[in-house]
């Protein structure tokens, strides 16, 4: 199952909104085939695994054990059901990392295999298998994207100067890491003031990979059209109270004034199949996610060499715990999550 997880991770950034899945076929303690889901819309892990078996080993398939990190699908999507393929190949034993909570699967694959007389075990390295696809599971179980809060602050807890003053806080190595993070998530969100004062491009230009979907809140359409967010280089969605005509790369999504903005935004992203979101600022927007308890992970960058005398206070995380700390020269990066008691 550890090998399944290693294989599955190779599909990161290429298979969403599908989950990352790895599969290994074992006969007499020898791996005779392995595969993973490589690209959305293409063959699933089980298909690639079975197809990888050498001709000289194909006779072993019907007396082998298939290890797979996620429950095999039982429905027709972009590809036929993997459960049917397993049954067709008469694989007698299937060991599954964790159940798939996607409504089209959710136990149906397991039940189909058992009905066919296959010996099925579920829950091997279950925690690790769920962690690998935390975005996928959050999306389907909570009906919203997996939410990552990110900001950079001075050593005395400021994210910027007074008024229009703008400080370069994180160093160039951290900047590259941040751009790597962007390639790993589906969308990135900023508020009106951050867009106006910082004029961020919100692309992954410092790291190879895909740009995230750019999102900005501009409730009254006050942002000027010359901002980088509106350069057409990649799609941008503007959340607003106003009714506006959209183009291919600039989409206006009208919000209801009578309801809170954030739940409406998360609902719209769910409808668009956006499984993960980085919220980059500013303080007011980040704090609103924190206060609502709508976050899964926070990445806080602190420049230990920088002090800002008068400036904007960084958000205040509540009920959080440090999961990991990383140091890049003068920058300390804390990866935080909600304390277990508050999840």
């Amino acid at each position: 199952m550890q090998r399944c997880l290693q294989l599955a991770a190779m599909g990161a950034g290429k298979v969403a909104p599908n989950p990352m899945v790895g599969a290994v076929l074992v006969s007499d303690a020898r791996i005779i085939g392995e595969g993973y889901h490589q690209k959305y819309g293409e063959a699933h892990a089980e298909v690639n695994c079975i197809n990888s078996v050498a001709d000289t080993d194909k006779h072993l398939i019907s007396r082998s054990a298939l290890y797979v990190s996620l429950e095999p699908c039982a429905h027709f999507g972009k590809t036929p059901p993997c459960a049917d393929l397993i049954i067709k190949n008469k694989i007698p034993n299937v060991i599954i990392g964790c159940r798939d909570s996607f409504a089209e699967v959710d136990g149906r694959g397991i039940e189909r295999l058992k009905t066919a007389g296959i010996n099925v075990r579920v829950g091997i390295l279950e925690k690790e298998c769920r962690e690998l696809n935390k975005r996928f599971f959050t999306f389907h179980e909570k009906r919203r994207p997996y939410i990552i809060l990110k900001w950079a602050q001075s050593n005395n807890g400021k994210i910027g100067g007074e008024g229009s003053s703008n400080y370069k806080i994180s160093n160039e190595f951290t900047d590259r890491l941040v751009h790597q993070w962007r390639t790993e998530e589906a969308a990135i969100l900023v508020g009106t003031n951050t867009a106006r004062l910082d004029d961020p491009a919100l692309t992954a230009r410092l790291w190879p990979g895909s740009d995230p979907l750019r999102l900005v809140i501009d409730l009254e359409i006050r942002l000027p059209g010359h901002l980088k967010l509106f350069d057409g280089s990649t799609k941008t969605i503007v959340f607003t109270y106003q009714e506006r005509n959209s183009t291919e790369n600039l989409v206006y999504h009208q919000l209801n004034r009578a309801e809170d903005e954030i739940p409406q935004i998360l609902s719209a992203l769910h409808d668009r199949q956006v499984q993960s979101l980085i919220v980059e600022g500013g303080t007011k927007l980040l704090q609103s996610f924190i206060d609502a308890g709508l976050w899964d992970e926070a990445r806080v960058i602190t420049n230990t060499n920088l002090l800002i005398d008068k400036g904007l206070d960084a958000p205040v995380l509540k009920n959080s715990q440090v999961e990991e700390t990383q140091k890049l020269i003068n920058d300390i990066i804390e990866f935080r999550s909600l304390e277990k008691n508050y999840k």
Side-chain angles (χ1 to χ4, degrees), residues 13 66 75 86 123 164 192 243 257:
L66 177 68
H75 68 291
I86 295 167
S164 60
T192 308
E243 185 176 354
R257 289 180 182 270

Side-chain angles (χ1 to χ4, degrees), residues 301-314:
I301 302 162
T302 302
N303 183 336
T304 57
N305 291 348
L306 177 64
L307 296 174
I308 299 176
D309 184 26
K310 294 181 179 180
L312 301 171
D313 290 333

Side-chain angles (χ1 to χ4, degrees), residues 26-32 60 63-65:
V26 178
S27 177
D28 295 325
R30 179 171 67 89
I31 292 177
I32 62 171
L60 299 173
R63 56 177 188 264
S64 63

Side-chain angles (χ1 to χ4, degrees), residues 199-233:
D199 191 16
L202 301 185
T203 61
R205 58 197 177 278
L206 301 179
W207 195 267
S210 300
D211 292 330
L213 174 66
R214 302 187 295 194
L215 313 172
V216 61
I217 300 174
D218 188 13
L219 297 177
E220 304 296 346
I221 307 293
R222 290 183 290 190
L223 293 175
H226 62 73
L227 296 180
K228 296 186 183 74
L229 281 171
F230 307 130
D231 61 11
S233 62

Side-chain angles (χ1 to χ4, degrees), residues 98-227:
C98 65
R99 181 167 168 156
D100 186 345
S101 57
F102 175 44
E104 294 290 336
V105 185
D106 200 13
R108 292 179 178 85
I110 294 169
E111 188 60 35
R112 187 172 296 186
L113 295 175
K114 287 182 176 179
T115 301
I118 294 172
N119 179 37
V120 180
R121 289 181 61 194
V122 184
I124 308 302
L125 295 186
E126 182 174 13
K127 180 181 178 182
E128 292 84 349
C129 290
R130 283 186 60 86
E131 176 66 19
L132 177 72
N133 282 306
K134 57 191 176 184
R135 293 158 181 81
F136 176 82
F137 285 116
T138 297
F139 180 81
H140 288 291
E141 294 171 6
K142 296 186 177 181
R143 300 189 63 79
R144 64 161 175 80
Y146 183 87
I147 300 169
I148 299 169
L149 309 180
K150 173 263 167 184
W151 70 86
Q153 62 185 21
S154 65
N155 203 34
N156 60 334
K158 306 292 183 182
I159 66 167
E162 279 189 315
S164 60
S165 301
N166 198 355
Y167 283 82
K168 178 72 178 73
I169 296 179
S170 55
N171 64 49
E172 60 181 9
F173 298 100
T174 305
D175 289 346
R176 281 167 173 74
L177 178 61
V178 168
H179 282 229
Q180 179 186 348
W181 295 344
R182 290 177 179 178
T183 67
E184 296 168 348
E185 310 307 334
I188 186 167
L189 172 69
V190 293
T192 308
N193 288 335
T194 297
R196 180 174 56 84
L197 296 174
D198 296 349
D199 191 16
L202 301 185
T203 61
R205 58 197 177 278
L206 301 179
W207 195 267
S210 300
D211 292 330
L213 174 66
R214 302 187 295 194
L215 313 172
V216 61
I217 300 174
D218 188 13
L219 297 177
E220 304 296 346
I221 307 293
R222 290 183 290 190
L223 293 175
H226 62 73
L227 296 180

